[in-house]
Structures are given as C-alpha cells and as structure tokens.
Amino acid sequence: MATAKNTYQNWHDEHLMLALGKKDEQAFEELYVRYGKLMYNYFHRMLWKDKEKARDFTQELFTKLIHKPELFNAERNFKTWLYSIAHNMCKNEYAKHEVRRNAHSEIKYTAPGIETEKADKNMDKNKFKEELTAALNELDEVKRTTFELRFYQEMSIQEISEVMECSEGTVKSRLFYTLKQLSEKLKAFEHILAFLISLMLLKP
Amino acid sequence: MKHQEKYDPEDIESLLKNKQFYELYPEEREFVLKHMEDEHEYNRMRRLLLEIQEISASDDLLNPDASIRKNLLYELRKEKKSRFVIWLNAVFAAPEIPWWKQSGVRVSFGVLILLLGVGSILLLNDNNPIVLAENKQSENPQTEEVLDSLAKDESNGENSEPNQPVEISTDEVQISEVPAPVALADVEVVQEEKVSIAQSDEPSAGASQTSAEIADNYKAESDQKMTLNSIETTSSTSPAREMVSFNETAKNPKSNSPSEDGSVVLNEHSDLIGLLFTAR
C-alpha cells in the first residue's frame, strides 16, 4: 500500500487526472492533497474571506472533476486548467452579489491619514493587512484576480496568462497598474510600510 | 530609442523587486520615470510590493474541513457504482445493451437478408432457365447425301426410276418426349388409313401379298409413322435438336413388301423424311 502511494506521489497532475477519469480513488486522494488546500484558500480570499462559501466552492470544484473528467484536455496544464475553472466560478459569484461586495468593502475600508504613535509591528501589520484586503476588494475582478494569482498563488506570468486567457504583456501591464493603484490608496501606511520594509531587510 | 525598446512597462515589477531607485541605471531610471511621477512614488510602490510578498509568504494557509474530503470520496464511490445496472429479476448484473446490438434484432436482420438473397437468386433463374441437358447433333456426311438424293427424286417426278431404297446409317436414336395425346392422335389417323387400304378389295398395282403380310407391313409403317410424328411435334415445340436414325433400310418406297433383309421400304413418307432432316 505504501509503495502504491509513493507511486502516485511521483505521477504528474495530468496522469492523476486521467486516472481519476477511470474512477481511481488513490489518484483522487493525491490530487486533493496537492490542490485541496490551495483552492480552499484561493476561494477564501476571493470570496470576501467567507469560510462557508470557500468550503462549498471547493467541494463543488472537485465534484466537477469527479463527474466530468472528460472535460480535461490532457494536452493542457492541469494547474492552470483547475484555476481557470475556479476563476470562472468566482466571476459568476461576483455577478450574483455585486451589491453585497460593494457594501462589504465600504464597511471595512478606513479613511487615510490614520497615524499610530507606537510602531507595534504586529498591530500595524494586521492593520495593514486589513487595509490591503479592503483596497483589493475595491478593485475590479480582473485586476484583483491577476494580483491574487501573482502574489498569493505565486503563479508565473505565463500561467496567469493561460488562466486569464490573455497575453503575458497584458498580465504584466495589469500587475503594474494594480500596484500603482494600491500604493495610492495605502498612502497613509507609507511610514508603516517603510518601517516594515526596514525590519524585513534587517532580517538575517 | 534602444532604451525604450529594452524595457517595457511590465518589466517595472522586476526593477521594483530587485533595485532601489538609486541603484537603477540611467536608462532604467529614465524608463521608470516615464511611468511614475518621481522617486518618491517608485519607493512607495517598491515597499508595498515587498510587503505583499512578505505577507503572502508568512501567512499560514487555512486547512479545509475534513467533511469536504469525506463528501468527495462518497461522490466518487457512488459514481463508480452507477456504471453497472443490476436487474432485480436477474441473478447476475447485466450491462445495458443498445437495442440494435441485441441478439434477437441481429438474428431477424440476418434472416431478412438471407430471404432477400434467395429471392433475388430465384428471380434471376426464372429469366435464365438452367439447361440440364443438351441434345447434340453429330455431323454426319452421309446425311447430306441422302438429303440431296431425296431432293433429286422429288424434282424428277414420274420419270424417275422407282425409288431406290434409301440407306441410312445407323446411329443412336434420341427422341425427345412428346405430348402423348398429339402423337397418339396422328398414329390413329395413320392406322385408320392403312387399315382402310388393307381392307379394300382391289389389290394395289403390282401387289401380290397375303393379308398377314399386309398387316405386318402396316404395323411396321405405323411404328415409323409414330416415330416421325413424334419428331415433327417435338421440333415444332422446342428448340432442342434431335438426332434420328433408322435401324431399317428402305429399298422400295412404293412397294409394301418387306425387303429381303427385313427392312421396310419407305414409299409414302418421303415428305416426312424431308421434314425430319429439315428439323435438324
């Protein structure tokens, strides 16, 4: 049994997906180990940090793999294919809850100019995280998805272009202007950022 | 211009990650300042980018609920089972078979095709009947000589010498079957004629026969007549050839007396003989 598990660990994602098409349980287990956690966190960040929605979407995503394995094209990269399905699921969800998303972002976003006398790293960091999340929620879904895939999912420019179905130049351009827009919104945290960056640079 | 071609807006990210503003080359600085206001903005963007990378790297990923995996395995096993269809009234599981693959349909198709094939063969045979036997006619040079002699005799008429007996070579006789009523009717007519002649009081010229001898002659002639009539009838009904020969030679066609060797003289049946040979 251990030998069989090791065998599946050495398989490529595409081979595992083909085996899942034949209802191989161990192939499914291996795929879930590799991508279950990633997809859960992706949905959690993309869907307003709603754990319930993240769980439902993760289950729905893998259920599609079980019931319709023939949809997978073996010539394509499995990871980008999986993320493209997840991206489309999120797009549909945004279309359904457009109003709710805007209301949520207004509550969470704090006005610029807040200053802290004591540079508490953890508190500032957490504050900065909250503000960053709020600022990301204000972005349109295309820029937000690009940013998420690049900086949180650590995908390459080429992989993002396959998921978003656009050119690499378009992906780079979107990343630049998203970064610029965020820096404008988070001007208030400039000194905090400087402090955090300096701490980071001083790390051994 | 080369500097502008060397760097694209999308390459700014790599510059922001790797270099501070004062570390940029002149051409890089020139390029960056085309997309940013000043050094201050460059530095602000660089700090944000680095912090985001730090956050994403340090953040602990959330673990999904165990119920997700459990539900998914249940779905997978259910999908496995649905492949087979178990009939309640059967012992073994039988997979679903499309209607055109079922054995009954296949057998009926096969029988239909077989019937069509046999029917087409029978229809073709009606148009071209099978010939089981063929009557062959052997070429006999003597036959042509006889025909010539007969033709000459007819043309000469009374001046001709008394008909010499016609010798015909013996060959195998193959006489096709004749409708019995037609042949019998002709034989009866001929027999009546012969009987009437035999019963007349005036003897024929040159005849000095007894009644018994006459009866024998008539019998022989009637047999030949039947034979000739059968041939004539057959030739008119079917294209098959007939080969007829006689085992008897006719010496004196006008005399009713038998020849010395027992053969019968053909005198009144020359026209039938002509028909015989033309029938070939």
Side-chain angles (χ1 to χ4, degrees):
Chain A
M1 208 58 176
T3 308
K5 267 192 178 178
N6 291 336
T7 306
Y8 281 95
Q9 281 172 2
N10 296 331
W11 284 16
H12 292 293
D13 296 339
E14 292 75 23
H15 293 156
L16 289 170
M17 186 60 206
L18 290 174
L20 178 60
K22 298 174 186 175
K23 313 304 173 192
D24 188 334
E25 213 170 286
Q26 289 190 2
F28 168 76
E29 292 268 20
E30 183 60 31
L31 272 177
Y32 186 75
V33 165
R34 292 184 189 183
Y35 291 100
K37 199 173 183 178
L38 283 172
M39 299 316 299
Y40 179 78
N41 282 274
Y42 173 78
F43 285 125
H44 185 253
R45 267 198 284 275
M46 294 302 289
L47 298 173
W48 315 290
K49 305 238 173 151
D50 190 335
K51 286 188 180 179
E52 292 291 325
K53 278 194 180 296
R55 188 189 67 180
D56 293 341
F57 274 62
T58 305
Q59 187 163 320
E60 186 181 336
L61 176 66
F62 281 92
T63 303
K64 283 184 182 181
L65 299 188
I66 290 168
H67 288 301
K68 294 182 181 177
E70 65 276 4
L71 294 177
F72 174 67
N73 185 1
E75 295 177 2
R76 194 178 168 176
N77 182 276
F78 175 79
K79 184 180 177 182
T80 57
W81 177 74
L82 191 68
Y83 272 98
S84 65
I85 296 174
H87 169 61
N88 290 330
M89 289 170 69
C90 292
K91 271 174 68 176
N92 294 335
E93 188 64 19
Y94 293 152
K96 285 180 188 176
H97 300 279
E98 184 69 23
V99 176
R100 181 182 169 183
R101 186 170 67 86
N102 289 334
H104 190 75
S105 66
E106 283 175 5
I107 293 168
K108 282 206 170 183
Y109 180 71
T110 55
I114 297 171
E115 294 180 359
T116 55
E117 293 179 358
K118 193 172 179 182
D120 186 352
K121 186 179 82 175
N122 291 333
M123 189 178 71
D124 289 337
K125 195 168 185 178
N126 292 333
K127 189 74 177 169
F128 174 76
K129 278 184 187 180
E130 288 177 7
E131 293 303 315
L132 178 62
T133 304
L136 284 170
N137 288 338
E138 287 184 3
L139 297 173
D140 61 273
E141 59 177 277
V142 174
K143 285 182 183 171
R144 188 179 167 198
T145 305
T146 310
F147 190 87
E148 172 72 29
L149 291 173
R150 177 64 176 161
F151 296 111
Y152 287 97
Q153 302 299 319
E154 296 179 357
M155 293 179 81
S156 66
I157 301 297
Q158 183 186 358
E159 287 175 337
I160 296 171
S161 68
E162 287 178 16
V163 173
M164 306 289 293
E165 295 179 354
C166 61
S167 65
E168 290 184 19
T170 304
V171 174
K172 290 180 181 179
S173 176
R174 282 177 186 168
L175 284 170
F176 170 72
Y177 287 107
T178 301
L179 202 61
K180 190 171 184 179
Q181 199 172 347
L182 287 173
S183 69
E184 288 290 330
K185 287 182 183 290
L186 297 170
K187 269 184 184 177
F189 292 89
E190 188 178 339
H191 65 282
I192 297 170
L193 284 171
F195 176 70
L196 292 170
I197 296 299
S198 62
L199 287 175
M200 188 175 72
L201 292 171
L202 289 171
K203 277 182 183 178
Chain B
M1 294 299 289
K2 284 187 179 179
H3 306 306
Q4 289 177 355
E5 291 173 359
K6 188 178 178 180
Y7 300 103
D8 293 323
E10 45 270 21
D11 293 327
I12 289 177
E13 184 189 335
S14 64
L15 292 173
L16 286 170
K17 269 186 193 176
N18 301 313
K19 288 186 177 182
Q20 294 194 25
F21 190 80
Y22 67 88
E23 292 175 340
L24 294 171
Y25 297 132
E27 58 270 16
E28 291 174 345
R29 194 175 298 181
E30 185 183 347
F31 167 71
V32 166
L33 290 174
K34 283 183 181 178
H35 299 90
M36 295 175 195
E37 290 181 4
D38 51 13
E39 178 183 351
H40 188 66
E41 186 178 4
Y42 179 88
N43 290 330
R44 189 171 66 238
M45 285 180 68
R46 176 171 148 67
R47 282 193 288 268
L48 178 64
L49 184 63
L50 291 173
E51 184 59 27
I52 289 169
Q53 284 184 335
E54 173 69 15
I55 289 169
S56 63
S58 64
D59 265 358
D60 294 328
L61 292 176
L62 297 173
N63 289 319
D65 293 341
S67 61
I68 297 174
R69 179 180 165 278
K70 189 179 173 183
N71 295 336
L72 290 170
L73 281 172
Y74 173 78
E75 286 291 328
L76 182 63
R77 283 163 191 166
K78 197 169 78 169
E79 185 71 13
K80 253 187 187 176
K81 283 182 186 177
S82 65
R83 277 183 164 187
F84 298 99
V85 176
I86 300 173
W87 295 94
L88 295 175
N89 57 350
V91 177
F92 301 104
E96 287 185 3
I97 302 171
W99 68 270
W100 52 273
K101 273 191 178 180
Q102 293 176 3
S103 57
V105 174
R106 285 186 171 183
V107 168
S108 57
F109 269 124
V111 169
L112 184 66
I113 290 165
L114 186 67
L115 287 172
L116 286 171
V118 169
S120 61
I121 289 167
L122 289 172
L123 281 171
L124 286 171
N125 287 339
D126 286 339
N127 295 328
N128 298 317
I130 298 171
V131 178
L132 298 176
E134 183 178 344
N135 291 325
K136 289 186 180 179
Q137 181 183 7
S138 63
E139 293 179 357
N140 193 351
Q142 292 182 1
T143 309
E144 290 183 358
E145 292 175 1
V146 170
L147 280 171
D148 291 335
S149 63
L150 284 172
K152 284 179 184 175
D153 290 340
E154 285 179 4
S155 62
N156 291 335
E158 295 181 358
N159 292 328
S160 64
E161 294 179 356
N163 293 336
Q164 297 297 321
V166 177
E167 293 185 358
I168 301 171
S169 64
T170 58
D171 288 322
E172 291 182 354
V173 179
Q174 289 182 354
I175 301 170
S176 62
E177 292 183 359
V178 183
V182 175
L184 286 172
D186 289 338
V187 170
E188 287 175 358
V189 168
V190 170
Q191 281 179 347
E192 286 175 0
E193 289 177 359
K194 298 303 173 188
V195 169
S196 62
I197 294 170
Q199 289 176 350
S200 61
D201 293 334
E202 296 179 359
S204 58
S208 55
Q209 297 176 329
T210 62
S211 60
E213 290 174 350
I214 292 168
D216 290 339
N217 287 337
Y218 283 144
K219 187 180 177 185
E221 287 175 1
S222 67
D223 289 340
Q224 286 181 356
K225 177 69 175 180
M226 188 164 53
T227 304
L228 288 170
N229 283 331
S230 67
I231 291 165
E232 188 179 347
T233 308
T234 305
S235 65
S236 65
T237 56
S238 70
R241 283 183 161 190
E242 296 175 0
M243 182 178 67
V244 179
S245 62
F246 298 92
N247 292 321
E248 301 165 340
T249 56
K251 289 188 178 177
N252 191 358
K254 291 188 176 178
S255 168
N256 290 328
S257 62
S259 59
E260 292 178 355
D261 58 352
S263 62
V264 176
V265 176
L266 300 173
N267 47 11
E268 297 178 358
H269 304 292
S270 60
D271 56 341
L272 293 173
I273 292 170
L275 284 172
L276 165 65
F277 291 108
T278 56
R280 290 184 187 174

